[in-house]
Amino acid sequence: MTDLTTLGIAAIRDGVRDGQFKAREVAEAFNAKVAGARALNAFLVETPEHALAAADAADAARAAGETLKPLAGVPIGMKDLFATKGVATTAASKILEGFVPPYESTVSQNLWNAGAGMLGKLNLDQFAMGSSNETSAFGNVISPWRRPNDTAPLAPGGSSGGSSTAVSAGLAPGATGTDTGGSIRQPAAFTGISGIKPTYGRCSRWGTIAFASSLDQAGPMARDVRDCAIMLEAMAGFDAKDATSLKLDVPNWEAALSTDLKGRRVGVPKEYRVDGMPAEIEALWQQGIDWMRDAGAEIVEVSLPHTKYALPAYYIIAPAEASSNLARYDGVRYGLRDLPEGAGLQDMYAATRAAGFGDEVKRRILIGTYVLSAGFYDAYYTQAQKVRTLIARDFERAFEQCDVLLTPTAPSAAFALGEKQADPLAMYLNDVFTVPASLAGLPAMSVPGGLDKDGLPLGLQIIGKPLDEQGVLNAGLAIEQRAGFTARPQAWW
Ligand code: GLN
């Protein structure tokens, strides 16, 4: 019998529906994989009973002859940034240790309504701040990938590093991610899987622990483009509880998947040829351009002149919003409380935050409060907001000449854990290709394109017009077909 954990979302859904295997067998197989992979530290909480309950419901529905829900029998991993009712939710921060939400996030509820089950809560960079999963208060996630003849632990990308690891190591057929400046796309690229950040407002932010509210978007991470389309359909949709949620029907992205790009124009932004870009990334990008042409697309060079200001603008806007969002963690309402002997209220706030927030989170709060302070507001925050508008306008102009954009996802393959931790600026540079689409709220996806000289995955990014997830998915599928990427990490854990 086939190892059920080798199957993706579509194959599991179809197999359960057609009676090839029971949903319970699928859940049991993945639960066992999760339990056997603790060395990767991908899961903060395991919830095998949740996966089994959803599976039993799917099997019962099938036995009763009911039409199955779109994700019936599919167990997934849930990034621990989504509040899950009755299941500990920490955003990988000590300050939320012990917090058990009395409510369910809209995105996770949508997935349960679609019949999915939960394998557990996935580790991440603390409050989703990071690119390597090294800022988690509960230990690094170790990428399942390794360089040849080298046991040095590699970064799985971040902040959705638990999600990328779970999917690429075969512990889950799909997982949720969130992307504020690249946290779905960069970890997907580092681990050889696919992930899409939809248009800002497609997925409700309600019940998702906030980092930078004007940027945060949820999205799926899965083994291939079709699985991403299926999962995104379940996650997305209007939600009255999120004021920025888009009041639009969710398209049937899976049904409209097509790899025929005839008549489509693919833009190649010249400003993404950054200094010091490794030759391998450059070569992969060229390969991607050739694949697009082979799929029938016309290639056009476009200009996004403000690209070089995207990263500095992001690292002002995101910390500014974070400093405001994180003010709610004061020791009064949730999680940790540090109340020293004889302390007053202010002392309790200070002690709780000092003990509860990690270094990167503190750095962001300091930057955020600084750029929002009276004397510096105009010089930094207002300026960054202006740059954000210019970046959005760059994309609008480019999209007059093309339908989607093709770029590398990240400027390098996965690096070793510890390699960039001492230098926050080097770490922030990871986001150079992903941040602009985030600032403009555009849908963007990473698909695996090939391997570097060390056998590590590299990703290609497709950026689309607002609400054109379909165009992004179809271009992604055209690459997927041509890349024929089948590499998987060899289990060493
Ligand atoms: N790496 C980026 C940061 O640290 C993006 C994080 C994210 O998208 N959540 O802010």
Side-chain angles (χ1 to χ4, degrees):
M1 190 175 151
T2 38
D3 172 3
L4 295 173
T5 63
T6 62
L7 304 179
I9 292 172
I12 293 171
R13 174 196 65 185
D14 297 349
V16 167
R17 184 195 55 211
D18 299 344
Q20 289 168 25
F21 40 76
K22 290 256 189 300
R24 190 172 180 93
E25 295 172 285
V26 176
E28 281 171 350
F30 279 106
N31 282 340
K33 271 265 175 135
V34 170
R38 296 197 180 120
L40 301 175
N41 202 26
F43 283 85
L44 294 176
V45 184
E46 294 173 15
T47 56
E49 65 299 332
H50 191 294
L52 290 174
D56 288 345
D59 288 333
R62 187 172 185 279
E66 293 166 20
T67 310
L68 292 189
K69 294 173 179 170
L71 287 175
V74 180
I76 56 147
M78 184 64 60
K79 185 175 182 178
D80 199 25
L81 204 63
F82 295 91
T84 41
K85 189 174 178 176
V87 180
T89 302
T90 61
S93 180
K94 283 237 179 302
I95 210 155
L96 275 173
E97 211 165 12
F99 174 56
V100 179
Y103 55 90
E104 188 78 33
S105 82
T106 298
V107 161
S108 53
Q109 187 62 54
N110 286 348
L111 285 162
W112 314 148
N113 292 348
M118 177 165 70
L119 294 161
K121 303 295 296 284
L122 293 159
N123 204 345
L124 66 151
D125 276 302
Q126 190 163 159
F127 284 105
M129 296 171 185
S131 303
S132 62
N133 220 118
E134 290 167 288
T135 73
S136 168
F138 306 114
N140 299 333
V141 177
I142 318 288
S143 173
W145 293 84
R146 282 178 166 177
R147 295 182 183 127
N149 310 315
D150 184 351
T151 56
L154 300 180
S159 63
S160 310
S163 307
S164 66
T165 292
V167 174
S168 73
L171 317 182
T176 54
T178 63
D179 193 311
T180 302
S183 279
I184 288 175
R185 293 161 282 161
Q186 183 257 20
F190 274 21
T191 55
I193 65 166
S194 297
I196 180 167
K197 175 196 93 71
T199 309
Y200 181 81
R202 275 279 194 209
C203 288
S204 169
R205 290 182 295 107
W206 194 83
T208 311
I209 293 171
F211 165 10
S213 306
S214 77
L215 296 155
D216 298 343
Q217 257 305 286
M221 300 170 73
R223 296 182 191 177
D224 60 25
V225 173
R226 175 174 299 272
D227 285 0
C228 283
I230 295 169
M231 207 172 145
L232 183 59
E233 276 178 39
M235 294 167 70
F238 173 67
D239 179 15
K241 290 186 284 200
D242 171 1
T244 58
S245 172
L246 293 169
K247 205 164 193 170
L248 293 169
D249 289 338
V250 179
N252 192 336
W253 289 303
E254 185 194 9
L257 284 175
S258 158
T259 56
D260 182 5
L261 302 186
K262 262 187 218 73
R264 305 280 292 171
R265 295 158 308 165
V266 175
V268 178
K270 58 172 188 248
E271 291 79 5
Y272 279 50
R273 267 173 229 289
V274 294
D275 287 346
M277 185 154 85
E280 287 178 296
I281 304 278
E282 181 90 42
L284 176 77
W285 194 9
Q286 187 53 50
Q287 175 69 259
I289 293 169
D290 295 342
W291 284 330
M292 296 278 87
R293 201 177 277 125
D294 184 56
E298 181 196 335
I299 308 297
V300 285
E301 189 183 85
V302 297
S303 175
L304 299 169
H306 297 92
T307 298
K308 64 171 177 289
Y309 304 114
L311 212 48
Y314 171 85
Y315 277 99
I316 290 172
I317 293 168
E321 295 186 21
S323 71
S324 165
N325 276 324
L326 270 54
R328 75 190 69 179
Y329 305 107
D330 53 10
V332 177
R333 285 165 288 194
Y334 336 78
L336 185 80
R337 173 176 303 162
D338 196 338
L339 185 57
E341 235 347 85
L345 193 60
Q346 291 296 338
D347 300 323
M348 182 188 77
Y349 291 167
T352 300
R353 288 169 176 159
F357 286 136
D359 289 348
E360 183 61 26
V361 177
K362 286 177 186 159
R363 175 160 32 234
R364 307 263 178 137
I365 293 172
L366 286 171
I367 294 171
T369 46
Y370 179 80
V371 300
L372 290 174
S373 61
F376 299 101
Y377 189 95
D378 282 337
Y380 293 103
Y381 186 70
T382 309
Q383 230 14 44
Q385 291 290 18
K386 288 180 182 167
V387 169
R388 185 176 188 174
T389 302
L390 293 172
I391 285 164
R393 212 173 280 162
D394 278 358
F395 280 111
E396 278 167 31
R397 297 227 170 99
F399 283 130
E400 288 167 10
Q401 290 169 263
C402 65
D403 303 297
V404 291
L405 295 160
L406 178 71
T407 79
T409 305
S412 73
F415 42 87
L417 290 171
E419 200 175 309
K420 291 186 200 271
Q421 217 180 357
D423 182 355
L425 288 183
M427 192 67 94
Y428 295 173
L429 272 174
N430 259 285
D431 309 323
V432 63
F433 300 138
T434 49
V435 147
S438 296
L439 288 169
L442 301 171
M445 162 163 227
S446 180
V447 290
L451 299 172
D452 79 348
K453 58 176 182 331
D454 289 328
L456 298 179
L458 298 172
L460 284 165
Q461 176 179 229
I462 301 121
I463 304 172
K465 296 177 182 174
L467 304 176
D468 188 24
E469 284 80 7
Q470 193 73 60
V472 171
L473 290 162
N474 288 357
L477 193 61
I479 291 176
E480 180 180 287
Q481 254 188 7
R482 284 163 182 78
F485 186 92
T486 51
R488 291 274 162 252
Q490 292 301 314
W492 50 264
W493 53 91

